[in-house]
Amino acid sequence: GIADEKISVIENLPLPGGQESLIASPDALSRTFQKDSIYFAYFGQMNRWKGIDLILEAFKLLLACYPDVRLELHGLSQQMLSEDNSRLNNSFIFDCRELLTSMPMASVHLMGMYEAEEISRRMKSVDVVVMASRWYENSPMVIQEAFGNGVPVVAPDLGGMAEKITHHKTGLLYEAGNAEALVHSLSFVIEHPELLQEMKVCAKE
């Protein structure tokens, strides 16, 4: 019942520009930034609702056609996958392990946990942020962080993700829960480098 012109949105995250951590993660510094491959990256928590298993499933299919692409998982470590954790679904952990072991080690990088002040440094070294949430999300901070660093986002067409991303302008939207649809979106990014550059510019605006 409130007129649109009387409503404004204040984002819950300031755009990057403040002080960054002077100490980057050793894992984040382990690879060269002069890369020929496209680097996709996930940022967030490790749980089934975030769809990490779906990202891995899609990336495995993607590697069959594009063996040079890379995936970084920020927020995940080998220790997290190997230790017993009662708060995580056992089948979810098993699926993630199986998918990881079925792909070349050089293709997927587990980047470990990170602090808030490290996000900008890490995001600036990747090309596209990938989401696969099974939940609707509300106002995902990771999208705001990605846009603030000029990184487009590929995400499901659900809730706050669909509201924040302008398809083919600041990122790509795909059918939620569909690994093949995610593969199609990632392939589209690879095959259209000019669009990727345009999306990077639009994401920053």
Side-chain angles (χ1 to χ4, degrees):
I2 302 176
D4 291 347
E5 61 269 16
K6 293 184 177 180
I7 300 175
S8 61
V9 177
I10 300 175
E11 294 290 356
N12 60 8
L13 181 75
L15 293 177
Q19 183 176 2
E20 291 185 359
S21 170
L22 297 179
I23 303 176
S25 160
D27 288 334
L29 294 175
S30 63
R31 66 168 173 77
T32 175
F33 293 110
Q34 296 178 341
K35 53 185 172 49
D36 296 323
S37 305
I38 289 183
Y39 275 77
F40 297 99
Y42 166 84
F43 287 81
Q45 300 176 5
M46 179 179 174
N47 62 60
R48 182 181 178 278
W49 297 109
K50 295 297 184 180
I52 300 167
D53 50 340
L54 189 140
I55 292 175
L56 289 171
E57 180 183 348
F59 197 73
K60 180 179 178 179
L61 295 173
L62 187 72
L63 283 171
C65 296
Y66 306 97
D68 294 331
V69 296
R70 298 293 180 263
L71 173 67
E72 293 185 354
L73 300 175
H74 295 261
L76 281 76
S77 66
Q78 191 62 49
Q79 181 180 0
M80 294 171 66
L81 286 171
S82 59
E83 66 185 11
D84 293 331
N85 196 325
S86 59
R87 70 179 180 84
L88 295 175
N89 182 282
N90 288 334
S91 62
F92 163 72
I93 293 294
F94 177 81
D95 289 344
C96 288
R97 289 174 182 165
E98 289 291 299
L99 286 164
L100 281 168
T101 54
S102 68
M103 289 182 277
M105 290 183 60
S107 298
V108 183
H109 302 263
L110 303 182
M111 306 302 287
M113 300 297 289
Y114 56 89
E115 300 294 335
E117 60 268 22
E118 293 180 83
I119 292 176
S120 183
R121 184 187 298 274
R122 290 188 180 213
M123 282 192 171
K124 286 178 179 177
S125 69
V126 303
D127 298 296
V128 179
V129 167
V130 183
M131 300 179 68
S133 298
R134 292 181 167 94
W135 186 242
Y136 287 86
E137 302 289 351
N138 179 16
S139 179
M141 290 180 64
V142 68
I143 295 179
Q144 183 78 0
E145 291 161 343
F147 288 173
N149 287 287
V151 183
V153 181
V154 174
D157 54 354
L158 285 178
M161 295 174 287
E163 291 175 358
K164 278 188 169 291
I165 296 169
T166 303
H167 191 58
H168 278 215
K169 185 175 181 181
T170 58
L172 298 177
L173 296 169
Y174 65 93
E175 182 183 359
N178 188 330
E180 291 186 359
L182 176 53
V183 172
H184 176 76
S185 292
L186 300 182
S187 299
F188 194 87
V189 170
I190 296 169
E191 294 170 1
H192 297 83
E194 70 290 345
L195 177 63
L196 175 57
Q197 295 308 313
E198 291 173 7
M199 290 194 298
K200 288 182 178 182
V201 172
C202 291
K204 188 69 173 177
E205 293 177 348

